[in-house]
Amino acid sequence: MEIVISNSADELNLKGAEYFERLLLTKPDAVLGLATGSTPIGLYNELIKKYKAGKIDFSRAKAVNLDEYIGLSQSDIQSYSYFMRQNLFSHINIDPANCHIPNGIVDDIDEECRRYERVIKSLGGIDLQLLGIGHDGHIGFNEPGDSFEKGTHPVELARETISANARFFESIEKVPRRAITMGIKGIMNAKSILLVATGADKASIVRRALMGPIDPRIPGSVLQLHPNLTVLLDISAAGELQ
Ligand code: PGA
């Protein structure tokens, strides 16, 4: 594991974007595992800047997102599909046909999970998986549990996650209770992982996930086992690391 601590959000976002830039220079058809939430927005802005400056070409890249709320259509402004178009895809030259996100409004959720597994497999796996981490240690929407859930699966969101995500919705009642998420196996199979966390409110979970025991009650702790994990932190999120 490599931990990189940045003094400012700008520095962190730039460093994060450089991982994608280097990958796409060496492998223009790379499979990018992407994430939603507040954390990656600045990094996505840097990717957009680099694209506009002619430094990154996404024309052959593939994108696979971690998760989607069950019950929200792709046109719903709260869906992660919408988030990705708004914050990244519509500003760069990635082919929409190469952008994959679980479909949250299918009748057969289990079949959708199986379909998503097939998508990831058919792409040959993920080259670089970007991750945030929830205050309860979730990665993707893999919530704390008794075991690490392996494949893409439906989840009941933890109360803490619903509260944390309520800030994006009109009210907490509007936050979907369920989601489809890539599982721990899909994440751990990525050839490299970039975990990003910012802010003092993440300092405790960053310490517990990276320095504590590997425990499914802190899903992010499994990342300690990944052979190619880079952790990008700002000073505040790194505040509890020795
Ligand atoms: P955040 O979410 O970036 O909005 O803090 C992180 C996560 O839930 O994975």
Side-chain angles (χ1 to χ4, degrees), residues 102-115:
N103 183 350
I105 50 158
V106 286
D107 289 335
D108 188 341
I109 300 287
D110 291 335
E111 173 49 27
E112 175 59 10
C113 293
R114 287 191 291 272
R115 183 194 70 82

Side-chain angles (χ1 to χ4, degrees), residues 211-230:
M211 306 296 168
I214 296 164
D215 183 337
R217 286 170 295 180
I218 302 181
S221 64
V222 76
L223 298 173
Q224 293 179 41
L225 298 174
H226 196 279
N228 195 357
L229 169 68
T230 303

Side-chain angles (χ1 to χ4, degrees), residues 36-40 132-134 138 140 167-168 202:
T36 50
S38 303
T39 310
I133 187 163
H138 69 230
R167 69 191 194 279
F168 299 114
K202 294 282 174 76

